[in-house]
Amino acid sequence: MTEPFKPELVCPAGTPASLRTAVDAGADAIYCGFQGPTNARNFPGLNFTPEEMEQSARYAQDHGAKILAAINSFPTAGRTDIWKSAIDDAVRIGVDAIIVADIGMARYLHRDHPDQRIHLSVQAGASSPEAINYYCKHFDVKRVVLPRILTVAEIKQVHDAIPCEIEAFVFGNIGMMAEGRCALSSYATGISTNLDGACSAAHCVHYNEDEQGNMTTRLGEFAIDRYSRNESAGYPVICKGRYNSEHKTEYYAFEEPVSLNLTRLLPDLIKAGVTALKIEGRQRSRAYIRNVVSAFRQTVDAYAAGEDPDITDLLALTEGHRQNEGAFRSKTWK
Amino acid sequence: MQSKLSLGPVLFNWSPEQWRDFYFQVADEAPVDTVYIGEVICSKRAPLFEPVLEEVVTRLTEAGKQLIFSTLSETASAVDRRLVERTASADEFFIEANDASALEYLEGKPHAIGPHINTFNEESLEFFAENGAKIISLSPEIPKQGIKELAGFAEKLDIELEVQIYGRMGLALSARCYSARAHNRTKDTCQFICDKDLDGMVIETMEGRPFLAINGIQTMSYSCLNLAGEISELQNMGIPRYRISPHSIGTIETCKTFRDLLDGKTSPEKAVEEMKQNTIDAPFSNGFYHDKSGYDWQQA
């Protein structure tokens, strides 16, 4: 009997310390970005200087893990030099792959650094075999990070029709909108997810408490949620806020504040041909990274050994928080 | 060269009769050079207006309009993929791609890149030009400086850049249908409920401030983009094409007003006043252009 395929576990790191934590906890690959607008998690206190990226790459590679540089936001004309120099730095450092989203930056990377391995970011929004094949043909993309809008059955179809590997999100915070093409936050704040790498930029988020202890969350001038003292609330983003329409009031017009947890679907995803399992959360603490990565390490190893893993630890990680399987399980989510 | 005026595709689920009559009126009365048609938002809607498509195409062609067929903006299901293939491989028409899924079919033949594909910089512009793009419509999110830089490159590449100057702005796309969700339905069980909202379903904050507009899987601005005050600046940058996104109210008159504005026959102040009298119930905005929040409005 052939051994079940063992997928790569791809884990986030927002700081060099988190990266070491993820490596030590058993990550096969770590993804991270440079400071500034070149990646989709441009938050204060997060991300790497070129020197930190270099030292972190050595640490990861010396411990048998890969390092993937996310340069996956979209430069406007006149600002491309910042992105190009980030790409040049990542190549010089010797990262194992660069994750890009912008078609122009994919072109630059493939043209000027043809030997560099390219992964297509989820921010590129390539959701069909036709789109993925197009990027593979032009830029020799080796892996696509799939948008979180496909069912497992659709992932299988995509896998059978493309020449590159598939990386799929399995755990963490999921946005509801097609990645790389969402201007909601920009509409409310002027800070752009696509162009500046920041959705719901922290300095635009405000909390107001009323006399009864109810909290209103604002993004720029817009109230995007209101909740009572006993309700738990995640980081405020437009697509997980509550609104009124003429048909419903105070409802989650887009999605409830849930996080993604595909632990139960892992065997199906692996069968569907997913090469790498991705955990979201470059903004998360080291303790969180350690817990999630270790739990996934054990689970993936158990599945690969043909065992039925104990997934209570993984499920417990989101206990008290709402979780679901998003679009992955069935079309009824849509 | 005279600035060209375009009418973007109808983004909403209008009845086939309303859709047909709208395009008949465009053919007869709207001073636009180019008309985009096709279902951009939801593959389920596409069959609805197919019975009237041929007469619309004939009427617009006879009126001397350049016709461009727009492809779907998000492709996931088998139905989506078939629709993109069918539209994009129709050799007799000029096609606007709105998702990377369409690009393979268009390679090497003249085509347009739509506003739902990110063209933010010169490298992207060059890539699309190399593969046959002739017209590129920019995302309304790009600020003035970005448009200006792009305009310089586009001229050298023989690409005509197009800028949306009017209408609600598409801000996001999703796999999920939010029109259906507001009625406790899903995309598969929607019964085409989005046909109730001719210009999108308004979403208000819990404090009662109108914020966004839902159009099936698309989330749009509540405010109506209006770049009347920016037209002459855009013309000075060398932008050759100007795009109006249709609404159920005032679109033909808006086309006339912008035609006059492009020809220097009216002032921005007068144009804005005219348009205010005959538009959807929403304020104007031009914030993205001025590198501010999208809903912001800087008076002309």
Side-chain angles (χ1 to χ4, degrees), chain A residues 74-78 80 84 102-105 107-108 111 123 125 127-131 133-135 137-139 149-150 154 157 161 176-178 180-184 186-190 192-195 216 218 220-226 238 242-248 250-256 324 327 331-334, chain B residues 73-78 81 98-101 103-105 107 116-118 120-124 126-128 130-131 141-143 145-146 149-150 153 169-178 181-184 186-188 197 201-212 214 217 219 221-223 285 288 291-295:
Chain A
F74 296 84
T76 43
T80 45
K84 286 177 178 173
D102 181 71
I103 208 163
M105 290 305 101
R107 176 179 189 257
Y108 170 76
R111 183 189 63 215
Q123 300 290 328
S127 53
S128 71
E130 292 77 20
N133 283 330
Y134 190 75
Y135 282 98
K137 185 176 92 178
H138 282 279
F139 312 116
I149 63 173
L150 301 171
E154 284 167 344
Q157 285 174 6
M176 290 305 113
M177 302 306 181
R181 298 193 285 176
C182 178
L184 287 174
S186 181
Y187 181 70
T189 67
S192 169
T193 311
N194 303 323
L195 310 177
T216 298
R218 256 170 242 287
E221 294 180 4
F222 296 95
I224 59 173
D225 203 0
R226 188 161 61 209
I238 291 174
R242 272 177 281 198
Y243 307 95
N244 299 332
S245 75
E246 60 178 302
H247 311 288
K248 271 189 181 177
E250 306 201 353
Y251 78 115
Y252 293 107
F254 306 105
E255 174 60 297
E256 294 169 23
N324 73 6
K331 287 166 73 185
T332 54
W333 177 86
K334 298 180 179 176
Chain B
S73 53
E74 190 186 63
T75 316
S77 72
R81 290 171 60 196
N98 277 305
D99 167 272
S101 306
L103 296 176
E104 177 68 23
Y105 303 107
E107 204 151 58
H116 296 282
I117 288 183
N118 290 342
F120 289 148
N121 53 64
E122 63 279 16
E123 288 277 354
S124 304
E126 279 172 24
F127 176 78
F128 291 131
E130 278 165 13
N131 289 288
E141 199 193 345
I142 304 179
Q145 193 55 35
E149 298 267 356
L150 281 171
F153 291 108
M169 298 172 279
L171 299 177
L173 301 160
S174 172
R176 176 182 264 178
C177 176
Y178 302 123
R181 183 174 168 84
H183 295 270
N184 301 318
T186 68
K187 195 173 172 186
D188 277 357
D197 304 298
M201 179 188 83
V202 174
I203 291 283
E204 293 182 350
T205 68
M206 283 158 76
E207 296 174 334
R209 177 168 177 178
F211 183 24
L212 301 166
I214 298 299
I217 65 151
T219 304
S221 61
Y222 167 70
S223 67
S285 63
F288 281 139
D291 213 0
K292 301 210 172 336
S293 307
Y295 66 90

Side-chain angles (χ1 to χ4, degrees), chain A residues 11-15 19 30-34 39 47-48 53 56 67-71 99 282:
Chain A
C11 305
T15 62
L19 179 135
I30 321 291
Y31 66 101
C32 46
F34 289 111
N39 79 91
N47 298 318
F48 295 60
M53 184 73 86
S56 299
I67 184 161
L68 318 175
I71 303 175
I99 310 169
R282 281 192 274 150

Side-chain angles (χ1 to χ4, degrees), chain B residues 127-148:
Chain B
F127 176 78
F128 291 131
E130 278 165 13
N131 289 288
K134 298 291 173 203
I135 301 171
I136 295 186
S137 282
L138 300 180
S139 156
E141 199 193 345
I142 304 179
K144 172 166 66 179
Q145 193 55 35
I147 300 174
K148 193 175 172 186

Side-chain angles (χ1 to χ4, degrees), chain A:
Chain A
M1 201 184 107
T2 54
E3 267 187 39
F5 173 73
K6 191 168 173 179
E8 192 176 292
L9 190 55
V10 181
C11 305
T15 62
S18 305
L19 179 135
R20 290 192 297 274
T21 302
V23 170
D24 297 347
D28 296 309
I30 321 291
Y31 66 101
C32 46
F34 289 111
Q35 288 173 2
T38 60
N39 79 91
R41 283 281 187 282
N42 179 17
F43 294 147
L46 274 198
N47 298 318
F48 295 60
T49 64
E51 294 70 35
E52 288 170 341
M53 184 73 86
E54 186 154 14
Q55 289 156 6
S56 299
R58 294 297 86 79
Y59 186 85
Q61 289 164 342
D62 287 350
H63 290 77
K66 294 175 186 158
I67 184 161
L68 318 175
I71 303 175
N72 61 345
S73 49
F74 296 84
T76 43
R79 298 206 300 165
T80 45
D81 284 352
I82 305 171
W83 275 253
K84 286 177 178 173
S85 111
I87 286 173
D88 296 345
D89 283 342
V91 172
R92 179 182 53 75
I93 287 165
V95 300
D96 295 279
I98 299 179
I99 310 169
V100 290
D102 181 71
I103 208 163
M105 290 305 101
R107 176 179 189 257
Y108 170 76
L109 174 51
H110 184 54
R111 183 189 63 215
D112 280 32
H113 305 288
D115 296 330
Q116 176 65 52
R117 184 180 161 97
I118 301 181
H119 291 183
L120 191 64
S121 171
V122 69
Q123 300 290 328
S127 53
S128 71
E130 292 77 20
I132 297 163
N133 283 330
Y134 190 75
Y135 282 98
C136 289
K137 185 176 92 178
H138 282 279
F139 312 116
D140 195 21
V141 166
K142 299 291 192 211
R143 180 185 291 177
V144 59
V145 186
L146 282 187
R148 290 159 271 195
I149 63 173
L150 301 171
T151 61
V152 173
E154 284 167 344
I155 291 176
K156 173 84 174 75
Q157 285 174 6
V158 169
H159 170 262
D160 294 345
I162 61 170
C164 71
E165 300 169 356
I166 290 178
E167 183 170 306
F169 278 94
V170 292
F171 193 86
N173 228 342
I174 61 166
M176 290 305 113
M177 302 306 181
E179 290 88 352
R181 298 193 285 176
C182 178
L184 287 174
S185 187
S186 181
Y187 181 70
T189 67
I191 311 289
S192 169
T193 311
N194 303 323
L195 310 177
D196 305 309
C199 166
S200 254
H203 70 274
C204 303
V205 173
H206 306 286
Y207 299 90
N208 301 113
E209 191 173 357
D210 72 9
E211 285 148 10
Q212 285 81 44
N214 299 313
M215 195 72 90
T216 298
T217 326
R218 256 170 242 287
L219 186 62
E221 294 180 4
F222 296 95
I224 59 173
D225 203 0
R226 188 161 61 209
Y227 47 91
S228 63
R229 205 187 284 269
N230 344 328
E231 273 180 286
S232 69
Y235 188 76
V237 289
I238 291 174
C239 61
K240 290 178 185 169
R242 272 177 281 198
Y243 307 95
N244 299 332
S245 75
E246 60 178 302
H247 311 288
K248 271 189 181 177
T249 54
E250 306 201 353
Y251 78 115
Y252 293 107
F254 306 105
E255 174 60 297
E256 294 169 23
V258 291
S259 61
L260 180 77
N261 189 344
L262 296 192
T263 305
R264 291 178 203 280
L265 289 179
L266 287 184
D268 296 339
L269 283 169
I270 297 167
K271 274 188 219 131
V274 171
T275 300
L277 306 172
K278 185 163 205 158
I279 297 168
E280 184 276 346
R282 281 192 274 150
Q283 69 285 16
R284 296 294 195 146
S285 70
R286 287 171 65 194
Y288 175 92
I289 300 277
R290 185 182 303 115
N291 291 339
V292 174
V293 175
S294 322
F296 264 98
R297 181 74 275 157
Q298 287 168 22
T299 305
V300 169
D301 288 349
Y303 276 129
E307 297 162 13
D308 207 6
D310 178 6
I311 56 172
T312 44
D313 276 1
L314 265 181
L315 295 177
L317 284 169
T318 42
E319 205 167 72
H321 302 281
R322 281 177 285 178
Q323 52 180 290
N324 73 6
E325 291 162 342
F328 290 87
R329 187 177 288 282
S330 81
K331 287 166 73 185
T332 54
W333 177 86
K334 298 180 179 176

